[in-house]
Amino acid sequence: MTALTFSTVEPGDDQRWSTWPAITPSQRGPEPWPDWVVTSAGAIDTELGVVKTGKEADLYLIERFQPGLTPADPPVQSTILAAKRYRTLEHRDFHRSAEYQEGRRTRRSRDERAVAKGSSYGRSFAAGMWAFAEFEALSTMYAAGAPVPYPVQVDGTELLMEFIGEGTTAAPRLAQSREEPAGLRPLLDQIVEAMQLFARAGFVHGDLSPYNLLVHEGRVVVIDLPQIVDAIANPNGVGMLHRDCVNIADWFTRKRVEVDAEALFGELLAELY
Ligand SMILES: Nc1ncnc2c1ncn2[C@@H]1O[C@H](COP(=O)(O)OP(=O)(O)OP(=O)(O)O)[C@@H](O)[C@H]1O
Ligand SMILES: [Mg+2]
């Protein structure tokens, strides 16, 4: 007789079966998958609550775990993930989209028309498009060695990624930093390095600010990438790079860490060509 090897644990309230087994390979993060990624078909996702509501998406925390054989057994593997869920209705600012969308094409014109009309199908398509765009941007920049959260998967309007923080507490944004200039200098160096990696890969973040940079154990992590643009193909690419440079330089200069935005811009432009 072989022993029972299937877990008898089933999802309860605030839980679901892990969505990993059902999605296609193109919806999963770059390989090799980090060892903390839970790939078991019997895994369960538990909702742990909302971290932050944003303009276009809300950030939730989930625990994905492979349960033990019975509810009394400890999980075989468990991980905390950030779930960024794009909004499909009302308050979303779709006008902002235009600037970033130039030079980018959706495959089906029916979808384009639906998005333009703002029908409910169009809204949910647009939300899914942004989630997928962010997933692809994270995948590309992760593969390029940039400090971004590892993108675990995308499924419709939900993007699951590495949670940056301690336990269930999210890492603070750079904007909240109380560091003195001497402590900020190494963070600036890391940001410039990250911007160089984006530029070398041919991309501009497009919304870089102290609100989209997390600081975790002295390391800077770049987040919020759905609007990433091709630096050359997008007619606004170079202008956006300039704006990112000004945002970063202004903030550090106010914190008494002198940075010349134009010098930084010139340095990054040189990486593009
Ligand atoms: N992977 C992550 N790990 C930990 N915290 C995160 C992660 N991703 C996002 N956050 C937190 O959630 C907030 C919102 O995320 P993000 O900036 O990607 O979304 P947004 O909808 O653009 O929000 P906003 O409108 O505030 O810019 C971030 O400022 C950060 O505090
Ligand atoms: Mg943001």
Side-chain angles (χ1 to χ4, degrees), residues 51-61 81-87 96 134 138 148-150 159-166 169-173 176 207 209-214 221-227:
V51 178
K52 194 181 168 292
T53 57
K55 289 185 297 289
E56 280 139 9
D58 301 311
L59 194 88
Y60 292 80
L61 216 56
L81 297 173
K84 185 167 176 178
R85 294 175 182 151
Y86 279 80
R87 300 245 189 83
R96 179 177 99 133
E134 179 157 30
L138 286 170
V148 296
Y150 176 78
L159 165 67
L160 298 186
M161 65 185 138
E162 178 183 358
F163 177 66
I164 310 299
E166 193 55 54
T169 307
R173 278 161 259 173
Q176 284 131 21
D207 192 20
S209 78
Y211 293 93
N212 286 332
L213 292 162
L214 303 182
V221 179
V222 183
I223 60 162
D224 208 0
L225 276 67
Q227 70 290 313

Side-chain angles (χ1 to χ4, degrees), residues 26-97:
S26 64
Q27 294 171 284
R28 294 176 179 157
E31 295 192 60
W33 300 320
D35 59 7
W36 51 263
V37 172
V38 178
T39 59
S40 161
I44 289 174
D45 294 340
T46 306
E47 289 285 338
L48 299 180
V50 68
V51 178
K52 194 181 168 292
T53 57
K55 289 185 297 289
E56 280 139 9
D58 301 311
L59 194 88
Y60 292 80
L61 216 56
I62 69 167
E63 182 195 12
R64 174 165 285 179
F65 68 103
Q66 184 189 347
L69 286 184
T70 73
D73 296 313
V76 176
Q77 190 191 7
S78 165
T79 185
I80 299 288
L81 297 173
K84 185 167 176 178
R85 294 175 182 151
Y86 279 80
R87 300 245 189 83
T88 56
L89 289 167
E90 76 255 359
H91 312 304
R92 278 212 39 171
D93 178 10
F94 285 100
H95 302 294
R96 179 177 99 133
S97 311

Side-chain angles (χ1 to χ4, degrees), residues 1 33 49 121 131 145 156 171 208 216 228 249-250 272:
M1 275 270 286
W33 300 320
Y121 168 75
L208 206 59
H216 183 50
I228 186 177
D250 279 0
L272 287 182

